[in-house]
Each structure stands twice: as C-alpha cells, then as structure tokens.
Amino acid sequence: MKKYRVELDGKSTFAIVQAEDELAAVGMVLGAGWAGARSMTSTSGPGISLMAEFAGLGYFAEVPGVIFDVQRVGPSTGMPTRTAQADLLSIAFLSHGDTKHVILLPGNVNECFEFAQAAFDLTEQLQTPVFVLSDLDIGMNNWMSEPFVYPDKPLNRGKVLSAADLDRLGGFARYRDVDGDAIGYRTLPGTMHPKAAYFTRGSGHNDKAEYTERADEYQSVMERLNRKFETARSMVPRPVVVQTGRSKVGLIAFGSSDFAILESRDQLKKEYGVETDYLRIRAFPFSREIHDFVASHERIYVIEQNRDAQMLSLLKLDLAGEEIVKLRSVRHFNGLPIDARFLTDELVMQEGI
C-alpha cells in the first residue's frame, strides 16, 4: 500500500471508511465516484439486496463505482458458510424500472485481482456502476495462484475533459451522445475552468441534466443508456474458449466452476470417449464470441451453481430463437463447491451415454 498509495511527503492518496451498513457503503461509493475519486465496496447477497435503490441511481445518473459481491447461499441469510452463483439475475437488473448493469465474472483468485483493475477502468469509461461477482468458494477457501502482477499501464479514466478541452469544445456534454458510443464527457474536481462544474440528476432529466417530465426526453435518455450497455459488449473481458473442432457438444460456465469442468472434460474423454468444447463467460453483457460458440454446436450445456438456471435465463434473453433451443441446463445448488464427478455423471445422463 505504501509503495503505490503514499506520496513522497507521506500523504496518503486513499481513504478507507467503515460504513454502518450496506446502504451507507454504496452511498459513499457513488458520492465519491461523482466527486471524481475511484471508489469501491464489497458485500454478499443480502448486502446487494440493500443496494438496489442506489444501484438504480448510479445507472440513471451515470455515476461510476465498483461493487464486489462474494456470493453465498440464499435467500435471506441462507447458509452464510456455503457457496453459490445465485446473485446473477438480481444484479444484472438491480433496481426498479429498466436497468441493466455491467458484471465481471472472475474464475479464480488471479482473475479477481485482474478484474478489480478492469472494473475500475470500465466504471469510469462507461460512467456506470460495475459489479464483480466472485463466490464464497473463491473468496474464503484456500487457492493456489500465480503472484499478482501490478499493472504498468496508466489508469483509463474515460472521457475526462481538461481546461484546454473545455476551451476547445466550449463546454462539455455530460448526458449527450457526441461520438456514437452513448457515453458522455465529465470533468474532475480541480479543473480550473468556469464551465468545469456539472450537474447530475437521479430523477427525470434531459441531456442537459435539466429536470423534465417530457416523455420524449425521458425516452431519449433511456434509449441512450441502452446503447451504452451495447457499447460495453466490446469493452468487457472476452470469454475463454476451448474449441476442438471435433465436438457437437459445448459446455458454457462461469466463475469457480472452471476447475471442475476442466477435470470433467478429461473424465468424459478418458472414460466415455466423448470430446467437448468449452466456453467460460467472464462478463455480462455477452460478447459476440458466445453467440458464435452456440451457433457452432448442436447441444449446449449451461453449467451453474444455482437452482433457477440464472445464466441460462440471461443467455435466452440474448440469443436468437434458433440458438435458444440448443440450450440445456446443468444445475448444482447444495451449497458445496461443484465437483467434476457430479458434472460428468450429469452430462452422461443427459447425453444418454
């Protein structure tokens, strides 16, 4: 911490605040993000439930902030010592009204570290809250990992205007789609220019951040937010794809299921002569590689650690009709980490081997 977050004069460039609850924590995150500081908080499923209203504010007012969720069994307090992947749907649409959030899905400890960096860049580039979904298996159990590599690239703070930029542009567009990616511009505190200040609104607003109840202006803002979500497809981490070119069967999974799937693929090949292809999703919204993977196989098994096939539901919302019929579900939701033998037996049964 001292190496990277303390100035030569000994002054710290960070602050750690102990909030009284999750409501206060996410409020502090969005307040800091609006003021120009990189900010994050962490929680589990019950805390996510409490953050819904602020998540909607961050989405509609377009304020950056990172929220880590170490998923555990629910509903309610569930079993706090058991793992799950069951917060996916709730976070994807967290808040009332039409809301869609960017989600990163690390599969191991090293990716948790790497995706933390990616999340901070993405939240400022997209000017929207970004969620990182780990799970209790990764978050609390012992894992081997390669040493973390601190990045040598500069921070990507997105569309930040300097005083010179403001002179050149004659102001800035906080809520306007200037260049086709639906992402507006902002300034940071300390920018010495009379037009550096800006306003945000969490209630009805137009592209000038002025209050409005005009239907056309509200619809325009909501359509632009949806275009911004589409822009995020090309910015989030790409999936990991293992394709042999010899299999009609594809496996799709995410998060800590990865190691069990790698072992199960070996079991299927060794014990039954069955080869499978594999795609590990690492972010939502889904990138084009996922569509291509589904299109290139006859059957797709979506493997996840929750009861209600939440990833399957998200994929069905994203894929075309002819692709949806290929999808089949493999669910593991007893709170223990998914294991290879369970997965192999389930796939053998569904394949009718």
Side-chain angles (χ1 to χ4, degrees):
M1 184 70 77
K2 290 183 178 180
K3 179 178 179 181
Y4 297 110
R5 295 290 179 261
V6 175
E7 299 287 1
L8 294 176
D9 61 3
K11 181 180 178 181
S12 298
T13 61
F14 65 92
I16 300 173
V17 181
Q18 176 65 54
E20 59 268 35
D21 55 31
E22 290 86 353
L23 285 165
V26 71
M28 293 175 186
V29 165
L30 293 181
W34 184 87
R38 288 192 156 197
S39 55
M40 61 82 63
T41 189
S42 60
T43 187
S44 58
I48 290 294
S49 299
L50 292 173
M51 294 179 180
E53 186 174 4
F54 267 121
L57 171 66
Y59 176 79
F60 195 41
E62 300 177 61
V63 179
V66 174
I67 300 98
F68 275 75
D69 175 24
V70 182
Q71 300 167 92
R72 73 189 203 201
V73 167
S76 185
T77 53
M79 292 192 294
T81 59
R82 295 291 185 264
T83 191
Q85 296 176 329
D87 298 348
L88 191 63
L89 278 178
S90 63
I91 290 179
F93 308 112
L94 188 64
S95 185
H96 60 282
D98 290 319
T99 310
K100 289 188 289 191
H101 294 295
V102 174
I103 301 173
L104 305 188
L105 299 165
N108 51 63
V109 175
N110 195 62
E111 281 189 346
C112 287
F113 178 76
E114 293 176 352
F115 284 12
Q117 305 161 34
F120 279 116
D121 279 354
L122 283 169
T123 194
E124 293 202 292
Q125 290 174 277
L126 293 165
Q127 297 182 44
T128 193
V130 170
F131 292 82
V132 184
L133 269 63
S134 176
D135 58 49
L136 188 141
D137 187 14
I138 296 176
M140 292 185 67
N141 291 331
N142 292 325
W143 290 81
M144 296 292 293
S145 175
E146 295 294 329
F148 297 159
V149 178
Y150 196 85
D152 59 1
K153 61 181 181 181
L155 305 180
N156 189 335
R157 306 213 65 184
K159 294 183 175 181
V160 177
L161 298 182
S162 65
D165 294 327
L166 291 167
D167 280 333
R168 177 171 50 84
L169 296 176
F172 72 96
R174 180 73 179 93
Y175 289 140
R176 297 179 193 172
D177 187 1
V178 175
D179 47 15
D181 62 5
I183 303 169
Y185 290 83
R186 64 178 180 146
T187 57
L188 295 178
T191 304
M192 300 303 295
H193 194 283
K195 295 183 178 180
Y198 68 84
F199 297 94
T200 56
R201 294 198 68 95
S203 57
H205 59 263
N206 58 23
D207 61 8
K208 298 178 182 178
E210 299 169 338
Y211 180 76
T212 181
E213 293 187 12
R214 284 182 50 177
D216 61 331
E217 290 185 332
Y218 167 78
Q219 182 171 333
S220 176
V221 169
M222 293 301 291
E223 288 176 340
R224 182 180 58 77
L225 289 174
N226 195 52
R227 292 197 306 274
K228 182 163 69 167
F229 189 77
E230 293 300 311
T231 297
R233 290 182 188 271
S234 62
M235 299 170 65
V236 297
R238 322 310 293 171
V240 176
V241 182
V242 181
Q243 194 149 336
T244 65
R246 300 184 297 273
S247 180
K248 299 177 181 179
V249 177
L251 311 179
I252 289 181
F254 63 101
S256 64
S257 302
D258 184 45
F259 294 104
I261 292 169
L262 295 177
E263 184 178 352
S264 177
R265 293 181 68 237
D266 288 339
Q267 291 175 354
L268 288 167
K269 184 176 181 179
K270 181 178 179 180
E271 299 173 17
Y272 300 95
V274 175
E275 292 204 58
T276 58
D277 295 336
Y278 173 38
L279 180 145
R280 178 162 63 90
I281 295 174
R282 302 201 298 168
F284 176 75
F286 303 130
S287 59
R288 186 65 217 177
E289 292 96 326
I290 297 171
H291 292 249
D292 296 339
F293 185 82
V294 174
S296 63
H297 294 86
E298 293 182 5
R299 297 179 299 284
I300 296 290
Y301 292 94
V302 183
I303 301 158
E304 48 193 317
Q305 298 181 61
N306 60 71
R307 183 196 67 184
D308 295 336
Q310 296 183 23
M311 179 60 80
L312 181 68
S313 296
L314 280 181
L315 287 168
K316 285 182 176 180
L317 290 173
D318 208 68
L319 296 169
E322 63 272 14
E323 297 172 332
I324 291 174
V325 296
K326 300 178 179 182
L327 302 180
R328 305 181 182 187
S329 181
V330 176
R331 299 167 300 126
H332 183 278
F333 55 93
N334 63 7
L336 299 176
I338 191 170
D339 62 278
R341 180 49 58 182
F342 162 84
L343 183 54
T344 299
D345 292 346
E346 183 70 17
L347 290 169
V348 166
M349 181 187 68
Q350 292 204 35
E351 280 289 293
I353 299 173

